[in-house]
């Protein structure tokens, strides 16, 4: 029997404690007022906008120079007009001495009339200039007021995003833990339904991992209830007045989906998913331990229960993906989304099974597990990494090729605001696993599998991160204390739940009729590694 060591238990508790403290700090440090949000935005602009500030300063200097040049031209024009008037006056005076008095009188009257007209024109120009200046000032005041309103609206929008960030960080970590545990359960059920012989010695490992589902389901239920009470704003379709045609927040698209997208229905469906998954976990674990006495009726009963569970799983997993992830962007949808999320969590689940198995095997508590079992797990990791890539490419390529605005907006936001994680996850989830695990010999080397597993888990966490964050925090994203703390808490919870459960049952499922087949399971090339296969 395995003993849950005090050091490992202490590590789990410390991880959970640090995770809770960090998560609490991320909530407390989130901005509470509009002024705090403006200060943060100003710091961001100062940090990221050095080049833009220089460009704006250069534009301002250029505008000032243009104003000075225009003013000089106006002054020159006025001086030229004054010189012309003076010259004309001198000529008239000179001619008046030479000509008849009547002509002098007429010229004088004409001169006076010209002077009057010039004065009037000058006055009109001055009045027009004053009017233009007044109009310009009025436009400037309006523009400044509009700019202030626009700035306040932008700051208020950013404030909501900043307040969403701690919630989103916690939500991503919670979903990642729940999804991995659920897919371990689904893979375990599929092995029972397929009556696979190779994987029986891994059953107690998978059962122990699925014990984590009870803990994360409780936390998920609390999070869903808090969300339904509008304590966070991760789901825009829950906003006030979104389905009210008389409200300024009215959204016609969401209104058309309100038969499905409504808070009571969303919450009731979520509770149903969690109840079904946890009920199967509890029943199959209890029956599996009872089956150690060799009762074949229990074996058949577990088979039938697993068939029913897989039927409900395929429906509830897709619907949960829609409800908990896809509706964060309620204007967008994809018919592949449920399968895509399934592939993400399935690769991660297989990786976790492999890593826990390798650890327990190193402790000597899985004597029947050999390199061939590790090889098969790594082969599944490799195969479903290719499957994930196929679904990712199919979804992305079809939307990109169709170039429909209501569809491309989903990837446009992610590619513009999340370019580094968006592209990094493709490399981490496809290129790296393919290069690392394509060689058959590497699949049975534990340290190689661990190395590939760490990268795969990080890549699929980023994948989920990119699914959730753009719709909840937009451009106010990052990877800081909140994100790290959420991961630490759920890693600690996983360690505590998994190894506590593993210590409570026999590591070998003795009553399973396929145990001998699993115990003697070997690949020929692995069993005779280093030997010439042509001689056998």
């Amino acid at each position: 029997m395995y003993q849950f060591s005090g050091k490992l238990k202490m590590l789990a508790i410390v991880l959970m404690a640090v995770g809770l403290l960090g998560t609490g700090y991320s909530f407390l440090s989130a901005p509470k007022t509009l002024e705090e949000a403006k200060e943060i935005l100003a710091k961001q602009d100062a940090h990221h906008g050095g080049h833009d500030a220089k460009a704006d300063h250069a534009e301002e200097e250029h505008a000032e120079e243009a104003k000075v040049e225009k003013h000089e031209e106006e002054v020159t024009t006025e001086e030229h007009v004054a010189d012309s008037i003076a010259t004309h006056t001198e000529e008239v005076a000179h001619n008046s001495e030479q000509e008849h008095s009547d002509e002098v009188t007429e010229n004088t009257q004409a001169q006076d009339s010209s002077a009057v007209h010039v004065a009037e024109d000058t006055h009109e120009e001055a009045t027009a200039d004053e009017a233009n200046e007044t109009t310009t000032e009025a436009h400037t005041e309006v523009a400044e007021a509009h700019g202030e309103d626009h700035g306040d609206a932008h700051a208020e929008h950013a404030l909501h995003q900043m307040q969403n960030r701690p919630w989103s960080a916690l939500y991503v970590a919670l979903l990642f833990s729940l999804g991995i545990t659920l897919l371990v359960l689904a893979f375990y059920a599929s092995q029972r339904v397929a009556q696979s012989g190779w994987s029986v010695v891994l059953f107690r490992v998978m059962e122990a991992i699925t014990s984590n589902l009870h803990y994360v389901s409780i936390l998920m239920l609390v999070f869903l209830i808090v969300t339904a009470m509008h304590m966070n704003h991760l789901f825009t379709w829950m906003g006030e007045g979104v389905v009210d045609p008389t409200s300024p927040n009215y959204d016609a698209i969401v209104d058309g989906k309100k038969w499905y997208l409504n808070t009571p229905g969303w919450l009731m469906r979520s509770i149903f998913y969690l109840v079904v998954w946890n009920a199967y976990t509890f029943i199959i674990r209890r029956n599996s331990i009872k089956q150690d006495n060799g009762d074949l009726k229990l074996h058949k009963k577990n088979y039938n229960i697993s068939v029913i569970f897989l039927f409900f799983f395929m429906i509830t997993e897709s619907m949960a993906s829609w409800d908990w992830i896809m509706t964060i962007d309620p204007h967008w949808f994809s018919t592949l989304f449920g399968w895509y999320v399934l592939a993400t969590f399935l690769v991660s689940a297989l990786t976790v099974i492999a890593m826990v198995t390798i650890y327990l095997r190193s402790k000597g508590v899985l004597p029947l597990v050999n390199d061939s079992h590790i090889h098969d797990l790594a082969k599944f990791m490799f195969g479903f990494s290719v499957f994930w890539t196929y679904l990712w490419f199919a979804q992305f390529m079809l939307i990109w090729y169709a170039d429909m605005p209501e569809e491309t907006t989903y990837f446009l936001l992610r590619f513009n605001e999340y370019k580094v994680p968006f592209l990094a996850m493709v490399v981490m989830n496809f290129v790296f696993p393919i290069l690392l695990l394509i060689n058959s010999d590497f699949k049975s080397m534990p340290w190689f599998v661990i190395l590939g597993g760490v990268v795969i888990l990080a890549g699929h966490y980023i994948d989920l991160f990119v699914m959730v964050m753009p719709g909840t925090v937009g451009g106010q994203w990052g990877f800081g204390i909140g994100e790290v703390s959420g991961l630490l808490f759920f890693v600690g919870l996983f360690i505590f739940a998994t190894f506590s459960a593993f210590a409570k049952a026999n590591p070998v499922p003795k009553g399973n009729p396929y145990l001998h087949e699993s115990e003697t399971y070997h690949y020929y090339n692995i069993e005779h590694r280093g030997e010439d296969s042509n001689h056998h």
Side-chain angles (χ1 to χ4, degrees):
M1 292 288 290
Y2 170 75
Q3 295 293 327
F4 189 15
S5 68
K7 291 182 179 179
L8 190 58
K9 185 180 295 185
M10 181 59 64
L11 174 64
I13 294 173
V14 169
L15 288 175
M16 287 189 286
V18 172
L20 283 175
L21 289 174
T23 300
Y25 174 79
S26 68
F27 276 96
L28 292 174
S29 61
K32 306 296 188 299
T33 63
L34 192 61
E35 288 69 23
E36 292 179 8
K38 288 181 178 180
E39 290 179 4
I40 295 174
L41 290 174
K43 291 179 181 178
Q44 291 177 352
D45 292 339
H47 180 69
H48 297 290
H51 177 74
D52 294 339
K54 291 179 180 178
D56 293 340
H57 181 66
E59 289 180 0
E60 290 176 0
E61 289 183 348
H62 180 70
E64 290 295 333
E65 290 176 357
K67 289 180 180 179
V68 171
E69 290 176 358
K70 183 178 179 181
H71 179 69
E72 290 177 351
E73 289 177 358
E74 291 176 352
V75 170
T76 304
T77 303
E78 290 175 357
E79 290 176 351
H80 178 70
V81 170
D83 292 342
S84 299
I85 293 173
T87 303
H88 180 65
T89 304
E90 291 177 358
E91 290 178 353
V92 170
H94 178 71
N95 291 333
S96 64
E97 295 176 356
Q98 311 261 337
E99 295 178 356
H100 194 265
S101 59
D102 294 338
E103 292 178 357
V104 170
T105 304
E106 291 176 2
N107 286 336
T108 303
Q109 292 175 351
Q111 180 183 343
D112 293 341
S113 177
S114 298
V116 169
H117 285 302
V118 170
E120 290 177 352
D121 291 341
T122 305
H123 178 70
E124 289 176 358
E125 288 177 1
T127 304
D129 290 340
E130 291 177 359
N132 288 335
E133 289 178 359
T134 304
T135 304
T136 303
E137 290 175 357
H139 283 304
T140 302
E141 291 175 358
V142 171
E144 289 177 353
H146 179 71
E148 289 177 359
D149 292 341
H150 179 73
D152 289 345
H154 172 66
E156 186 174 357
H157 182 64
L159 173 63
H160 291 312
Q161 292 178 333
M162 294 173 190
Q163 291 174 338
N164 272 344
R165 184 175 166 184
W167 289 100
S168 300
L170 180 62
Y171 188 53
V172 172
L174 174 58
L175 276 178
F176 195 55
S177 181
L178 176 63
I180 289 175
T181 309
L182 175 64
L183 265 296
V184 170
L185 181 65
F187 182 75
Y188 169 76
S190 71
Q191 296 303 294
R192 282 195 171 275
V193 170
Q195 301 188 47
S196 299
W198 74 274
S199 59
V200 172
V201 295
L202 305 175
F203 274 11
R204 289 294 154 81
V205 175
M206 291 187 272
E207 290 169 8
I209 294 173
T210 57
S211 298
N212 184 51
L213 187 65
H214 301 312
Y215 299 95
V216 292
S217 293
I218 293 173
L219 296 176
M220 186 67 179
L221 182 59
V222 172
F223 192 96
L224 295 173
I225 292 174
V226 166
T227 301
M229 295 171 64
H230 303 286
M231 295 182 67
N232 61 59
H233 305 284
L234 302 185
F235 299 88
T236 56
W237 58 266
M238 290 185 181
E240 184 178 355
V242 172
V243 294
D244 182 4
T246 62
S247 172
N249 296 326
Y250 177 68
D251 191 320
I253 295 177
V254 175
D255 189 25
K257 300 179 181 181
K258 66 181 179 182
W259 63 272
Y260 185 85
L261 279 185
N262 57 83
T263 303
W266 177 80
L267 189 58
M268 287 188 289
R269 288 193 303 271
S270 299
I271 294 173
F272 176 74
Y273 309 149
L274 296 173
V275 168
V276 169
W277 301 339
N278 281 273
Y280 174 73
T281 303
F282 176 78
I283 293 171
I284 200 68
R285 167 76 169 174
R286 182 191 61 187
N287 290 349
S288 177
I289 295 175
K290 284 183 179 179
Q291 194 183 331
D292 283 352
N293 60 16
D295 187 355
L296 291 180
K297 290 182 179 179
L298 277 174
H299 178 75
K300 185 176 181 180
K301 184 177 181 180
N302 290 339
Y303 169 85
N304 293 332
I305 293 172
S306 298
V307 170
I308 296 171
F309 168 74
L310 284 179
F311 172 77
F312 279 101
F313 166 78
M314 295 307 296
I315 298 173
T316 55
E317 185 277 332
S318 290
M319 294 181 68
S321 300
W322 305 339
D323 285 344
W324 297 344
I325 304 176
M326 193 168 70
T327 57
I328 290 175
D329 300 274
H331 290 184
W332 179 85
F333 70 93
S334 170
T335 54
L336 273 178
F337 195 78
W339 287 101
Y340 178 75
V341 175
L342 172 72
T344 290
F345 288 141
L346 182 54
V347 176
S348 304
L350 290 163
T351 301
V352 168
I353 294 172
M355 295 173 77
V356 173
T357 300
I358 291 170
Y359 171 78
L360 291 172
R361 183 191 178 199
S362 69
K363 297 298 180 182
V365 294
L366 294 175
L368 302 183
V369 175
N370 54 51
D371 288 345
S372 296
H373 297 108
I374 304 300
H375 180 277
D376 262 23
L377 287 171
K379 188 163 60 176
F380 274 112
M381 292 163 57
F382 172 83
F384 281 104
S385 291
V386 176
F387 179 62
W388 174 88
T389 309
Y390 160 71
L391 292 176
W392 179 88
F393 179 75
Q395 183 173 260
F396 176 78
M397 184 272 293
L398 290 175
I399 291 176
W400 170 81
Y401 185 80
D403 197 22
M404 299 172 66
E406 63 271 22
E407 294 182 354
T408 55
T409 181
Y410 181 84
F411 285 107
L412 187 66
L413 174 61
R414 282 153 180 79
F415 194 77
N416 288 340
E417 295 285 351
Y418 294 75
K419 184 174 294 184
V420 172
F422 182 80
L423 297 177
M425 75 174 182
V426 179
V427 177
M428 297 171 73
N429 296 337
F430 174 62
V431 178
F432 189 85
I434 294 299
L435 294 178
L436 194 69
L437 298 175
I438 195 170
N439 189 302
S440 183
D441 292 336
F442 294 165
K443 293 186 182 74
S444 58
M445 297 181 182
W447 71 273
F448 243 85
V449 177
I450 293 291
L451 176 62
V454 170
V455 177
I456 288 173
L457 288 177
H460 284 287
Y461 171 82
I462 295 174
D463 184 17
L464 183 61
F465 185 90
V466 173
M467 288 186 214
V468 173
M469 287 293 185
T472 57
V473 304
Q476 303 300 322
W477 69 279
F479 194 77
I481 294 177
E483 289 75 16
V484 174
S485 299
L487 282 176
L488 291 179
F489 174 80
F490 285 102
V491 168
L493 180 62
F494 174 85
I495 293 173
F496 183 84
T498 299
F499 294 101
S500 294
F502 189 79
K504 295 176 182 177
N506 194 316
V508 179
K510 295 180 178 179
N512 194 292
Y514 299 103
L515 178 61
H516 181 68
E517 179 182 343
S518 183
E519 180 183 358
T520 58
Y521 178 72
H522 291 286
Y523 278 119
Y524 179 85
N525 288 339
I526 293 178
E527 187 180 5
H528 299 85
R529 183 178 288 133
E531 300 179 15
D532 186 359
S533 60
N534 293 327
H535 295 166
H536 299 274

